[in-house]
Amino acid sequence: MRKIQMVDLQGQYQKIKDKVDTQLQEVLNSSAYINGPEVHAFQKDLENYLDVKHVIPCANGTDALQIAMMGLGLKPGDEVITVDFTFAATVEVIALLQLTPVLVDVEKDTFNIDIEALKKAITPKTKAIVPVHLFGQCANMEAVLDIACEHNLFVIEDTAQAIGANYTFKNGVTKKAGTMGMVGTTSFFPSKNLGCYGDGGAIFTNNDELAHTIRGIVNHGMYKRYYHDVVGVNSRLDSLQAAILGIKLPLLDGYCEARKKAADYYSKAFASNKNIVTPVIRDFSTHVFHQYTLQITNGQRNELHQHLLDNQIPNAIYYPVPLHSQKAYADERYNEADFKVTNELIDTVISLPMHTELDEEQLKFITTTILNFIK
Ligand SMILES: *Cc1c(COP(=O)(O)O)cnc(C)c1O
């Protein structure tokens, strides 16, 4: 059996090596490392894939979130609601911009924003909601957008884990994750579903004015060369990364399909075990399985984590500490009773190896090892 990896970037690269090596050599020959033609070409390809008017590439997914918030003109003290159960980048940029993060609990079965908790958290100071499409499945966007509309709030979708997922509204309209709110952001970190070979990110919007504002912000606040109208940042996707992404984007749906196949194998294997809860997929969203995350409900999560490591099966706890309990984000405003689900999930979740190169022999070994341990 091939060695099991949490993410198999090497195996995936080997399948596209010739194309990637040729394209990278072309960039090297041209020496157009910044803003080369590959960046513009990828931007257009991604606009087409997502069916969105504007894609603005940038340096990483954290920058994408920060720049989206800067572009919306949010001001210190404005409250931004996001989830307690996500990667810290989401809340980090809110705090960095001196906005006030308001963390809310998630749904136990989907790990995504809890709509009732969201409603409860809205105050006159609330300006924006950041739903995170965690682990590859869209949050309940129909409800989020209705609430945002009612209270006149911006919706910023953190799509770092869900690029390629589809959301279907009650009226039958289907949209890509990241294109439903005012603005969406993603990350091309190597292990993400659409990953480059370094750092990268992008911002999506259908709003012409916001796109224009953001294009200036990513480039030192310049709309005309050496005229700085607003305080900006330097955040670029470089040409080498764009060249890689240009090759991988047409493969993204196939990559998502391969992940789904592995997920289906796992879920089928664990279906009748009463101590293992498998991922729940809502009717309104597809799931692109950035992570395949189980809940172990018999108290043996930590033992399982160790048992798998002892058997050379990598696995991870996403996430071990709720954001409201992190030193950097703890705040006396928070009340433990409001985070019942997140407080429970941190003790039960475990994410299994998930990538495009898992084969049946590996999946069988992983599932039997787990089922022999969790009875
Ligand atoms: C990865 C990730 C980010 C940050 O992306 P980087 O490119 O690493 O900066 C933001 N939000 C979520 C939910 C992520 O998973």
Side-chain angles (χ1 to χ4, degrees):
M1 188 175 62
R2 289 184 306 129
K3 184 172 180 282
I4 298 173
Q5 301 185 65
M6 194 67 187
V7 180
D8 184 359
L9 298 178
Q10 184 58 232
Q12 198 188 56
Y13 163 63
Q14 287 305 329
K15 292 186 177 160
I16 53 173
K17 182 177 187 314
D18 289 348
K19 259 191 174 165
V20 169
D21 293 1
T22 307
Q23 279 280 310
L24 293 185
Q25 192 57 54
E26 263 177 44
V27 177
L28 297 178
N29 292 343
S30 77
S31 309
Y33 301 123
I34 298 287
N35 286 335
E38 296 79 11
V39 181
H40 193 250
F42 171 65
Q43 175 201 319
K44 291 287 156 203
D45 290 349
L46 190 55
E47 285 168 357
N48 284 333
Y49 175 81
L50 294 172
D51 194 19
V52 71
K53 266 174 101 175
H54 306 280
V55 165
I56 302 106
C58 65
N60 58 67
T62 309
D63 273 11
L65 282 163
Q66 178 182 331
I67 292 159
M69 289 177 203
M70 290 170 76
L72 292 171
L74 300 179
K75 297 278 178 310
D78 287 351
E79 292 180 0
V80 178
I81 300 175
T82 192
V83 282
D84 193 31
F85 192 64
T86 176
F87 181 56
T90 323
V91 69
E92 178 177 70
V93 299
I94 299 172
L96 264 179
L97 293 173
Q98 295 184 314
L99 311 172
T100 304
V102 176
L103 298 170
V104 299
D105 214 352
V106 295
E107 297 175 337
K108 194 167 162 182
D109 52 354
T110 66
F111 314 110
N112 278 328
I113 193 162
D114 182 294
I115 299 303
E116 291 312 310
L118 164 62
K119 284 184 188 160
K120 251 183 70 185
I122 293 172
T123 76
K125 285 187 179 168
T126 308
K127 288 286 158 18
I129 308 168
V130 187
V132 179
H133 305 312
L134 204 75
F135 300 153
Q137 172 172 216
C138 294
N140 183 349
M141 287 303 290
E142 187 128 18
V144 169
L145 291 170
D146 283 350
I147 292 166
C149 185
E150 186 185 331
H151 296 272
N152 202 17
L153 309 174
F154 295 122
V155 174
I156 305 158
E157 295 174 69
D158 184 344
T159 317
Q161 301 190 2
I163 193 155
N166 290 314
Y167 186 98
T168 303
F169 289 85
K170 286 182 192 134
N171 65 6
V173 172
T174 294
K175 291 188 183 182
K176 287 279 180 203
T179 68
M180 295 174 270
M182 180 68 169
V183 57
T185 65
T186 203
S187 161
F188 303 123
F189 186 82
S191 65
K192 300 283 155 106
N193 286 30
L194 179 61
C196 56
Y197 297 169
D199 276 309
I203 304 154
F204 330 128
T205 184
N206 282 307
N207 185 295
D208 297 338
E209 203 179 320
L210 179 62
H212 174 76
T213 304
I214 287 175
R215 286 204 179 94
I217 291 173
V218 297
N219 192 24
H220 303 290
M222 280 195 288
Y223 296 90
K224 191 173 146 192
R225 209 167 167 84
Y226 303 121
Y227 290 78
H228 304 271
D229 295 359
V230 294
V231 177
V233 295
N234 168 18
S235 189
R236 293 183 279 241
L237 180 72
D238 68 66
S239 309
L240 290 165
Q241 302 307 336
I244 293 157
L245 290 166
I247 294 165
K248 289 182 75 175
L249 179 60
L251 306 174
L252 176 61
D253 286 344
Y255 288 161
C256 293
E257 206 43 56
R259 287 172 177 271
K260 171 97 175 37
K261 227 176 121 188
D264 287 346
Y265 187 102
Y266 281 141
S267 288
K268 210 172 143 202
F270 301 131
S272 56
N273 187 307
K274 62 181 189 319
N275 293 313
I276 301 178
V277 179
T278 57
V280 169
I281 309 177
R282 289 267 194 274
D283 289 341
F284 53 60
S285 180
T286 60
H287 200 318
V288 294
F289 288 100
H290 175 60
Q291 298 297 342
Y292 182 88
T293 303
L294 296 174
Q295 296 173 54
I296 306 299
T297 55
N298 67 350
Q300 283 193 299
R301 194 277 310 270
N302 290 347
E303 287 93 327
L304 177 65
H305 168 68
Q306 191 53 49
H307 180 70
L308 293 178
L309 292 182
D310 293 344
N311 284 278
Q312 283 74 52
I313 299 173
N315 65 97
I317 311 301
Y318 299 124
Y319 296 90
V321 183
L323 289 176
H324 82 272
S325 308
Q326 296 281 2
K327 274 190 200 155
Y329 305 110
D331 195 304
E332 57 198 17
R333 288 177 291 134
Y334 295 133
N335 183 348
E336 287 306 319
D338 292 331
F339 301 108
K340 265 176 48 198
V341 175
T342 303
N343 284 341
E344 186 182 327
L345 289 175
I346 55 158
D347 291 327
T348 58
V349 290
I350 185 163
S351 297
L352 303 185
M354 177 47 73
H355 52 79
T356 57
E357 312 303 313
L358 283 163
D359 64 37
E360 196 152 330
E361 191 186 9
Q362 295 175 314
L363 289 165
K364 190 168 177 196
F365 180 69
I366 297 165
T367 50
T368 41
T369 307
I370 292 173
L371 288 167
N372 285 335
F373 191 78
I374 303 285
K375 298 283 181 190

